[in-house]
Amino acid sequence: MGCDGGTIPKRHELVKGPKKVEKVDKNAELAAKWKYCALSQEKLKRPIVACELGRLYNKDAIIEYLLDKSAERPNVEVVTQIRSIKDVKELNLTDNPAWEGERHNIKGDCYEDMNCAMFICPVVGLEMNGKHKFLYLQTCGCVFSERALREVKTEICHKCGDPFQEDDLVMLNGSKEEVEKLQKAMEERRLKAKTAKKSKKSKDTKVSKSLDSTGNCDTSETKASPLNGEGSSGSCSNSAPGPSTSGECSKTLKAPVGPVAGSKRSIQEMKDKSETYKSLFTSHSSAKRTKDQTSNWVTHTPYHF
């Protein structure tokens, strides 16, 4: 088989050497990270969110994933750290005025710059295409380039003015070492939040137990009688289910001076009212007409025909 007609094969055609490692195109790799959603592999469109590891997603894809985690997806391993919508932050991005969109090259008869990005840094003006490092703030979600934060050092956001700390900065699409560092910081942050929640819960249980052990003395006060104006004595009993430490207690409650709110007025109180106060009402004798004031005839003008 072969070598007919005096052909002489070469060594590389007969001996199989090691396979060449396929190199990934850097431009294609950067476009996949910075222009496409890490979960759905669709093009990024607003609203865009980022996780605590710095990956970019479409918010719609994250919501669909949280609603149905059992569905088959190509890149489920990139969202294992997302438990709820609170684990992602919506980014406040700055549009690139030089980006004309994708519709201007529908026919394919004009030059399309692959390095042109949709968003830029609002401070320096660098394009967010992967050639420059970008970070976002977990407090407000604003995105800046690393050069802007390095040259203009401040503790206040350049875009919205909210204060931030160095721990709030998250690198977008960082290297493997930077992702590992962010993952450690994320685990420490979640562990602190979990311990704080447990300590708060234990404090609440201790307070409730101490209240149950001491017991609450509920006194039932009787309102003063409107006729005689005297109060009755009320007794308070321990309502705790366990053994009572203070025992039963009784208190003699004095009736408050004056009428009690919500009680009906008595006849005696009505008699004590002054005549000027009573004259305000139509039921008073001064408001009634005498026989001389009343007329024997009444005029009536009918309005119907």
Side-chain angles (χ1 to χ4, degrees):
M1 299 295 292
C3 295
D4 297 335
T7 56
I8 302 172
K10 295 181 181 180
R11 184 179 184 279
H12 72 275
E13 295 176 354
L14 298 175
V15 181
K16 293 182 179 180
K19 292 183 179 180
K20 293 182 180 180
V21 179
E22 295 181 359
K23 293 182 180 180
V24 181
D25 187 10
K26 290 185 178 180
N27 294 330
E29 186 179 5
L30 292 176
K33 285 184 177 180
W34 293 92
K35 292 185 178 181
Y36 293 87
C37 174
L39 177 61
S40 62
Q41 298 299 316
E42 296 178 355
K43 288 189 177 181
L44 290 173
K45 58 182 179 180
R46 292 178 184 270
I48 300 172
V49 297
C51 65
E52 294 175 314
L53 300 182
R55 298 190 180 103
L56 299 175
Y57 312 92
N58 287 329
K59 193 173 183 180
D60 299 340
I62 294 296
I63 293 174
E64 290 177 1
Y65 164 73
L66 294 174
L67 291 175
D68 186 12
K69 293 184 179 181
S70 61
E72 294 183 0
R73 293 179 177 86
N75 297 327
V76 183
E77 62 275 2
V78 298
V79 290
T80 53
Q81 74 280 1
I82 300 176
R83 303 167 299 179
S84 64
I85 197 66
K86 295 181 180 179
D87 293 336
V88 295
K89 184 70 178 180
E90 186 172 348
L91 300 181
N92 186 9
L93 298 163
T94 305
D95 294 329
N96 185 7
W99 190 71
E100 299 179 357
E102 299 173 355
R103 295 184 179 180
H104 77 287
N105 194 17
I106 296 176
K107 296 181 180 179
D109 55 350
C110 60
Y111 173 72
E112 183 178 359
D113 188 4
M114 298 299 296
N115 296 324
C116 186
M118 294 186 293
F119 311 107
I120 60 172
C121 174
V123 180
V124 187
L126 295 175
E127 293 184 353
M128 201 173 76
N129 53 10
K131 293 186 176 181
H132 308 280
K133 292 184 177 181
F134 275 75
L135 303 97
Y136 82 93
L137 303 177
Q138 288 183 332
T139 54
C140 57
C142 296
V143 181
F144 302 97
S145 63
E146 188 184 26
R147 184 186 298 180
L149 296 175
R150 185 176 63 251
E151 293 180 357
V152 187
K153 294 183 178 180
T154 180
E155 294 181 354
I156 299 175
C157 179
H158 299 292
K159 194 170 183 180
C160 62
D162 292 343
F164 69 91
Q165 297 178 358
E166 190 175 357
D167 297 337
D168 298 330
L169 295 171
V170 178
M171 184 71 68
L172 289 173
N173 290 328
S175 60
K176 188 179 291 185
E177 292 78 10
E178 291 171 346
V179 171
E180 291 177 357
K181 187 178 179 181
L182 290 174
Q183 190 169 3
K184 289 181 181 179
M186 178 188 67
E187 292 174 356
E188 291 177 359
R189 198 183 305 113
R190 290 182 179 181
L191 184 61
K192 287 181 181 179
K194 192 174 182 179
T195 52
K197 190 176 181 180
K198 283 185 178 180
S199 62
K200 186 179 180 181
K201 191 175 182 181
S202 62
K203 285 181 181 179
D204 295 340
T205 53
K206 285 181 181 179
V207 170
S208 61
K209 285 182 180 179
S210 62
L211 290 174
D212 292 341
S213 61
T214 54
N216 297 327
C217 185
D218 299 331
T219 56
S220 57
E221 296 182 1
T222 56
K223 297 180 181 179
S225 175
L227 296 176
N228 51 17
E230 295 180 357
S232 60
S233 62
S235 62
C236 64
S237 60
N238 190 3
S239 61
S244 174
T245 55
S246 59
E248 297 180 355
C249 58
S250 60
K251 295 180 181 180
T252 304
L253 303 176
K254 295 182 179 180
V257 180
V260 180
S263 60
K264 295 182 180 179
R265 294 181 179 179
S266 60
I267 302 172
Q268 190 68 24
E269 290 178 353
M270 295 300 295
K271 289 182 179 180
D272 295 339
K273 298 293 182 181
S274 61
E275 292 294 330
T276 56
Y277 176 75
K278 293 179 181 179
S279 63
L280 297 174
F281 303 97
T282 56
S283 59
H284 192 255
S285 59
S286 61
K288 296 180 180 179
R289 294 182 178 183
T290 59
K291 291 183 178 181
D292 299 336
Q293 294 176 348
T294 56
S295 58
N296 296 327
W297 52 272
V298 178
T299 59
H300 178 66
T301 304
Y303 290 98
H304 61 277
F305 299 96

